[in-house]
Amino acid sequence: MRGIGTGIATALALALAGCATTPQSRPVASPSVDTAKLQQVGAAILFWDQAKRDATFPAMETVFPGNVVKRGRRVHSLPAGTPLPIDAATVDAFMAQNNTAGLIVVQDGKVRLERYARGYSASGRYTSFSVAKSFTSTLVGAAIKDGYIKSVEEPVTKYIPELAGSGYDGVSIAQLLTMTSGVKWNEDYTDPKSDVAGMYLRPVPAGMDPTIAYMRTLPRDTPPGQKWVYKTGETNLIGVLVSKATKKSLASYLSEKVWQPFGMEQDAFWMVDQSGQDIGGCCLSVALRDYARMGVLVLGGGKGVVAPGWFAAATAPKADVGRPGFGYGYQWWTYPDARYGAQGIFGQSILIDPKRRIVIAMSSAWPKATGPDLSAARAAFQQKLIDAAVR
């Protein structure tokens, strides 16, 4: 499926190089990091060897600057449920063949299967890549509940006036969320001239956010609402919009609205760009059980966290992605049988099956960023897990 991951990896270092500004919450990475080396490392993420992926995906804060998403004192319990009736050898084989480091299955709020490999453990956290998009979307729902944003039908330019006179004139927040803005964008990860590879290369006017500086230069391709095109840059823009509306960093707002009140077990880590802005489209590192808790939160409707009906709207298919039975909501992928989920390159995923009250979260280090063979193998295994859960 096109756009299954995030292209931010190809330009990550450019987004992070020169992080001399102090993040709004406690930084994790060393402030003495060599930014020239950082640029090299970030640009090479797609081409790290397997040993580098295994070592760094669970420890991105040792390489990149970012903000902490602080947990609270209370932990949302995930008690043990009846063990999933699936052969351990089948699970082990899938995890080994697909370089899966963490797998958890939660049904009705209880853990039915939890497994770690490749040096990962329950006490660690793992990068999300584009799974972060669904967390950023959730903060829009929270901002509407809190009154910072009135409605997704409002124009983007109300909250980011710097976009006035650009291709984003007349584009609503909803169209940004569904990636149907009509603004022209190239997400080709292999093209050095693509937007996703070059969005942080241009000089940024003094005092302007680097994402806004680039996105306002893009031309209109189609009328808003007519065509879906996967755009990591637009999720970054959503992150900027939330920060502007709330006057808070994404990390601090996520802590306030989700991590502390819902009871996430561990702090999370969110990478920042060169201005200190959390990267809305990527790069949130979270513990496996907390990825599962996010699924539990969504299944429960997010009462007290997001506006009423937010998750029902966010996880409904709103854009045609060109594949029968599949679609795109508010930064959530939608699948056949009313399932939905979050996805990121190299095998990161949260799958939610509302009919069966099941959440399946996976953290992986696939041998390549994405591919139909890898996606098909994951989907087939997820179905095996669901079939086992309903026996």
Side-chain angles (χ1 to χ4, degrees):
M1 181 186 295
R2 182 184 176 193
I4 212 164
T6 176
I8 195 66
T10 58
L12 190 54
L14 298 173
L16 302 174
C19 286
T21 56
T22 302
Q24 296 176 33
S25 56
R26 180 173 58 88
V28 176
S30 168
S32 62
V33 68
D34 183 336
T35 55
K37 183 178 179 182
L38 184 65
Q39 181 172 347
Q40 272 188 329
V41 172
I45 282 179
L46 286 176
F47 309 104
W48 280 349
D49 60 26
Q50 195 60 50
K52 184 70 171 178
R53 284 191 288 270
D54 284 336
T56 313
F57 283 6
M60 297 295 261
E61 62 266 35
T62 65
V63 179
F64 300 106
N67 289 332
V68 173
V69 182
K70 297 179 181 179
R71 64 183 177 87
R73 296 179 179 178
R74 184 185 67 86
V75 175
H76 182 97
S77 176
L78 290 178
T82 304
L84 208 63
I86 188 169
D87 182 57
T90 299
V91 176
D92 292 342
F94 170 82
M95 292 182 70
Q97 291 166 6
N98 294 272
N99 296 352
T100 297
L103 165 66
I104 188 168
V105 180
V106 175
Q107 186 175 28
D108 293 319
K110 297 180 180 179
V111 178
R112 300 199 62 188
L113 177 68
E114 184 174 10
R115 193 72 60 84
Y116 296 90
R118 312 187 76 80
Y120 188 38
S121 73
S123 63
R125 54 192 174 201
Y126 213 89
T127 191
S128 63
F129 293 109
S130 277
V131 169
K133 288 179 168 65
S134 302
F135 287 76
T136 298
S137 164
T138 298
L139 293 182
V140 176
I144 291 173
K145 176 187 177 297
D146 290 346
Y148 294 117
I149 297 172
K150 183 179 179 181
S151 163
V152 294
E153 299 309 320
E154 291 184 295
V156 172
T157 51
K158 175 180 176 180
Y159 297 92
I160 311 179
E162 300 95 324
L163 291 175
S166 75
Y168 287 95
D169 276 338
V171 172
S172 69
I173 296 172
Q175 289 161 344
L176 207 63
L177 287 164
T178 56
M179 298 192 182
T180 58
S181 67
V183 172
K184 191 173 183 179
W185 177 266
N186 179 355
E187 184 88 7
D188 186 345
Y189 310 151
T190 65
D191 181 1
K193 296 182 180 180
S194 69
D195 294 297
V196 76
M199 68 180 295
Y200 292 113
L201 285 174
R202 295 182 183 177
V204 179
M208 181 171 287
D209 178 272
T211 296
I212 297 173
Y214 186 82
M215 302 303 283
R216 71 175 189 166
T217 68
L218 301 176
R220 175 67 57 78
D221 183 38
T222 61
Q226 288 191 5
K227 181 181 178 182
W228 177 84
V229 176
Y230 192 81
K231 307 181 184 84
T232 290
E234 290 199 338
T235 318
N236 293 354
L237 206 55
I238 293 168
V240 173
L241 188 151
V242 169
S243 291
K244 278 178 165 285
T246 63
K247 295 180 172 54
K248 301 173 184 179
S249 72
L250 298 184
S252 63
Y253 197 46
L254 186 62
S255 173
E256 173 191 330
K257 298 303 300 181
V258 177
W259 246 243
Q260 296 192 43
F262 193 69
M264 296 304 195
E265 188 171 356
Q266 297 186 44
D267 289 348
F269 167 77
W270 209 327
M271 292 188 205
V272 296
D273 66 18
Q274 69 266 45
S275 70
Q277 168 72 37
D278 304 298
I279 302 172
C282 179
C283 312
L284 178 64
S285 291
V286 175
L288 183 67
R289 280 188 162 226
D290 288 340
Y291 282 124
R293 285 184 176 92
M294 182 64 175
V296 172
L297 169 68
V298 177
L299 271 176
K303 185 178 180 180
V305 174
V306 294
W310 173 261
F311 283 127
T315 60
K318 298 183 181 303
D320 181 358
V321 301
R323 186 180 176 189
F326 293 78
Y328 203 70
Y330 293 161
Q331 305 284 300
W332 290 89
W333 295 92
T334 64
Y335 312 121
D337 199 21
R339 296 171 187 168
Y340 51 86
Q343 296 182 172
I345 54 172
F346 292 107
Q348 324 317 320
S349 67
I350 303 172
L351 175 69
I352 302 172
D353 185 332
K355 290 183 181 179
R356 299 159 187 88
R357 308 292 296 171
I358 292 172
V359 175
I360 302 173
M362 292 187 193
S363 295
S364 303
W366 280 355
K368 56 183 178 180
T370 189
D373 53 338
L374 293 163
S375 297
R378 176 175 60 190
F381 183 66
Q382 287 169 332
Q383 187 60 54
K384 284 184 180 180
L385 295 172
I386 292 171
D387 290 343
V390 298
R391 284 178 191 166

